[in-house]
Amino acid sequence: MQAPDLASPAAPYTRAAFGPGWADPNGDCLDTRAELLADLSTVPVTLAPSGCSVRHGRWIAPYTGQVVTEAGDLDIDHIVPLRYAWGHGAASWSAEKRARFALDPVNLLPVTASANRSKGARGPLDWLPPDQGFRCQYVLRFRRISKAYGLAFTAAEERDLTALTGRVCGA
């Protein structure tokens, strides 16, 4: 049996189409998640005994405004979810572009697990961060990432995103 063509727009979404998950491109044993947590902690992080994962630090989870000190309490969220991107053009991207998108630090945020679960694969027209003070930044970043990767929106989605941006950013 031949494997499905994951680049075909007709192929159903699968996480595997975006690569194997967190990678360690520089070979230092800290994967993308660990590197992001270390970079975004407001204090020096404590690593696991292996030195390959982050245990403790201090993060302000942007969707909720909560201060989190246990790395295990955080998920790494794709601001533009992979499934969402798939339905807006990523299905036709090369495997390399999908992997780059999945690991792009501009598209990644450490957030509370509960906020990540409540968001799921939805975009800003269907979900906004509970912390109203972060909504403008979230919508602007979502739109900037979408534009940078060439995601396609219907005229109605574009109109609604423009209106939402005006509402949450006070413009």
Side-chain angles (χ1 to χ4, degrees):
M1 180 194 305
Q2 186 172 349
D5 177 8
L6 296 177
S8 166
Y13 167 79
T14 174
R15 171 62 181 86
F18 288 85
W22 303 129
D24 178 16
N26 63 5
D28 66 354
C29 94
L30 293 171
D31 64 15
T32 306
R33 173 189 163 77
E35 299 264 2
L36 188 74
L37 289 172
D39 289 347
L40 296 179
S41 177
T42 62
V43 300
V45 296
T46 302
L47 298 177
S50 68
C52 296
S53 64
V54 174
R55 289 260 177 97
H56 306 283
R58 185 180 184 277
W59 302 271
I60 300 171
Y63 293 165
T64 60
Q66 291 174 273
V67 174
V68 178
T69 58
E70 299 290 328
D73 292 340
L74 295 169
D75 283 355
I76 303 301
D77 181 54
H78 290 90
I79 296 167
V80 178
L82 304 181
R83 181 182 295 270
Y84 185 96
W86 185 265
H88 287 81
S92 63
W93 294 349
S94 68
E96 292 79 17
K97 183 174 180 179
R98 286 193 300 267
R100 188 171 67 249
F101 178 81
L103 298 175
D104 186 341
V106 172
N107 193 30
L108 301 173
L109 282 178
V111 301
T112 62
S114 61
N116 191 35
R117 307 275 183 319
S118 77
K119 178 183 175 227
R122 296 181 289 171
L125 294 177
D126 299 311
W127 182 89
L128 289 171
D131 182 351
Q132 291 189 15
F134 189 73
R135 288 180 176 177
C136 177
Q137 184 177 341
Y138 165 73
V139 170
L140 291 175
R141 198 159 161 185
F142 182 96
R143 294 189 73 189
R144 187 172 69 246
I145 294 161
S146 296
K147 182 177 181 181
Y149 280 91
L151 295 178
F153 295 97
T154 66
E157 286 174 320
E158 189 57 48
R159 180 191 66 238
D160 293 347
L161 282 167
T162 300
L164 175 64
T165 304
R167 280 195 311 276
V168 300
C169 294

